[in-house]
Amino acid sequence: MTRRDERPVIVDALRTPIGTQGGALRGVDATALIAPLLATLAGRSDAPIDEVVLGNIRGPGGNPARVAALQAGLDEATPAITVDRQCGSGMAAIEYSVALLAGVREGFQLAGGTQSASTQPLTFWPPTGPGETPEQYLRAPFTDRAHGDPEMGVAADLLAAEHAIDRERQDTYAARSHQRAVTAAAAGIFAEEMLAVAGLDHDERPRAGFTARRLARFRPAFTPDGTATAANSCGINDGAAAVLLCDGTTAARRGLHGLRVVDVVTVGCAPDRPGWGIVPAVRRLVDRTGLDLDRVDVVDFNEAFAGQVLACLDALGIDEERNCPQGGAIALGHPWAATGAVQLTRLFTQLVRHNTTGARYGLAGIAIGGGQGTAMLVEAV
C-alpha cells in the first residue's frame, strides 16, 4: 500500500437527480445520463483526463464508458473502461481508478456509475429446443445454481428474520430516511452536488408525508410473511454520479483539497445472503486500517432494504441513527450501478462542501448481488 499522504484524492464529485423508473428521466439512456457529469468535471480540471472508469449493468452493452466519454467531448485519446459488479459497480469503478492512481499512473481520472432502468434493453434466454420461444428475464444470475440465487428481496427478508429485525423497526428506519432527505433537499444541501438532467432538478422518490404509521399499511413485497415492503426498501431508479480524482502527489503539488481514499476493500460472503456483504468488508477494512468505527464522522451504508442494512449496522455495533444522516437509498433511490458513486458524492458534500464541524472520516459500504460487499474509508484533506 502506498503511504497515506500519497493515496489518491477525490477532488470533485457530481450526481444527477435520481429519477424513478418510468419517471422524468425515462427517455435518457445510461450514457446520456452521465456524459454531462463527465463534461462538467473535466471542465473543472486544468489538466487532461488520463482515464474514464464507469460502472454499468444491464445497459446497452459494448463499452458505455467510452461512449459517454466521447459524448462528453473528452479527447479521443482518453481511454475508457466499463466495469460490472452489480450494485457495487459505481464504487468498483472508483476502486479501480484508485488502484491505478496508487500505482504507476498519475494525473486525473473520472470514475463513477450510471444506470437507466427505464431504457435498459429487453433480454431473453434463447429457445431451448425446436418449437420453443425465447424466455425473457429481468436479471442475470447472481450465483451458480448450487447456491440458490435468491431474489434480493427474498434474501433481505431472510436476513431480517435471522437477525430479529422486526417490521416496526424497519418502517421507523425507512420513514426517518425519507424525512432526512426531504429536510436536506429543502435546506439546499443537494444543490451543489446535483446537475439537472432533462429538466429534472430534484430527486423524485423522497416523500414528505411518510411516517412509520403510514408505512405500516404496506403489504410484504417479496414473501407472504416477510417484513420488506415497497416503502421500506429502495426503489428502481435512473441516475448517475461521477468523481474527479488524482494521485496524492498531484493533489499535494497543486494544493487540492477533497477526500483522500484511505483504503477500499471488497470481499465475498455467503451467496444466499448477499445483503450481508457490508459486514465482512467493513471488518476487513478496520483490520487493515486500525480505525475505530467510533471515529467515523459520516457513515453511508447503502439502504437496499431497511431490514438488511439494520442487520449490518447491528453486527458492526453502529447506531442506526448514524447511518445516512441526510437520507439514503430508501428515500433517494438506488440506481444500481450508480449508487456507489452517489454515496461518495454524498460524502464529498458532507465532508468537503458543507463541513462546518471539522468532521474528518467518512465510511461508505454497499452490499452486492451474488454475495459480495465493498467498503471505502475516506478522509477530508
Side-chain angles (χ1 to χ4, degrees):
M1 185 183 297
T2 56
R3 281 177 19 198
R4 191 167 180 135
D5 60 356
E6 296 176 343
R7 298 289 291 166
V9 178
I10 296 170
V11 297
D12 206 346
L14 285 173
R15 68 177 179 93
T16 67
I18 299 173
T20 57
Q21 184 181 34
L25 300 179
R26 63 186 178 277
V28 187
D29 66 20
T31 56
L33 278 173
I34 200 163
L37 302 181
L38 301 181
T40 300
L41 290 170
R44 294 178 181 178
S45 170
D46 60 359
I49 301 300
D50 176 66
E51 179 101 38
V52 176
V53 188
L54 298 181
N56 178 247
I57 64 174
R58 292 186 57 74
N63 184 359
R66 175 62 171 171
V67 177
L70 293 173
Q71 287 180 345
L74 271 63
D75 194 301
E76 293 179 355
T78 305
I81 184 170
T82 304
V83 300
D84 180 348
R85 193 179 270 155
Q86 294 301 304
C87 295
S89 298
M91 201 175 295
I94 299 173
E95 181 180 7
Y96 182 103
S97 189
V98 165
L100 290 176
L101 292 169
V104 297
R105 302 280 282 275
E106 61 180 20
F108 292 85
Q109 297 192 7
L110 291 167
T114 184
Q115 193 71 48
S116 174
S118 295
T119 68
Q120 66 188 25
L122 299 179
T123 46
F124 295 82
W125 295 116
T128 56
E132 299 293 326
T133 59
E135 180 183 355
Q136 186 179 2
Y137 65 93
L138 298 179
R139 70 166 177 86
F142 292 151
T143 73
D144 63 349
R145 292 181 181 272
H147 288 94
D149 196 19
E151 294 291 339
M152 296 293 284
V154 173
D157 273 342
L158 291 171
L159 199 62
E162 290 166 353
H163 292 270
I165 312 296
D166 63 29
R167 171 67 185 273
E168 182 180 3
R169 186 178 173 198
Q170 293 178 52
D171 288 344
T172 299
Y173 179 91
R176 183 190 305 128
S177 183
H178 279 274
Q179 291 160 5
R180 287 176 165 181
V182 168
T183 299
I189 290 174
F190 299 149
E192 290 181 63
E193 71 184 34
M194 193 182 295
L195 191 68
V197 176
L200 183 66
D201 62 0
H202 63 278
D203 300 309
E204 287 192 292
R205 183 172 167 84
R207 295 291 182 268
F210 270 6
T211 63
R213 184 174 180 178
R214 183 175 177 185
L215 266 59
R217 302 173 190 168
F218 284 75
R219 295 179 179 180
F222 306 104
T223 57
D225 299 319
T227 51
T229 71
N232 65 27
S233 306
C234 66
I236 299 176
N237 301 95
D238 304 325
V243 303
L244 174 68
L245 66 168
C246 64
D247 62 283
T249 301
T250 295
R253 184 172 63 245
R254 293 171 175 261
L256 300 176
H257 299 283
L259 296 179
R260 176 185 291 131
V261 180
V262 178
D263 202 2
V264 54
V265 173
T266 299
V267 302
C269 68
D272 59 354
R273 297 295 185 274
W276 188 249
I278 291 172
V279 176
V282 171
R283 286 174 174 165
R284 179 79 61 83
L285 187 73
V286 169
D287 286 343
R288 284 165 57 99
T289 62
L291 181 69
D292 188 328
L293 289 176
D294 288 338
R295 294 184 60 199
V296 175
D297 299 287
V298 184
V299 177
D300 192 314
F301 291 172
N302 184 45
E303 299 172 347
F305 305 89
Q308 165 262 330
V309 74
L310 286 167
C312 293
L313 290 164
D314 286 356
L316 293 166
I318 299 174
D319 187 299
E320 65 182 74
E321 295 207 23
R322 291 181 61 196
N323 195 45
C324 299
Q326 295 173 355
I330 288 175
L332 299 174
H334 179 15
W336 304 312
T339 294
V342 171
Q343 291 176 272
L344 270 298
T345 301
R346 298 268 44 259
L347 288 178
F348 191 90
T349 289
Q350 292 167 89
L351 292 171
V352 180
R353 289 189 173 107
H354 294 162
N355 190 344
T356 60
T357 64
R360 181 177 179 185
Y361 289 111
L363 174 63
I366 191 165
I368 301 164
Q372 298 186 82
T374 300
M376 184 179 296
L377 178 67
V378 295
E379 177 185 15
V381 292

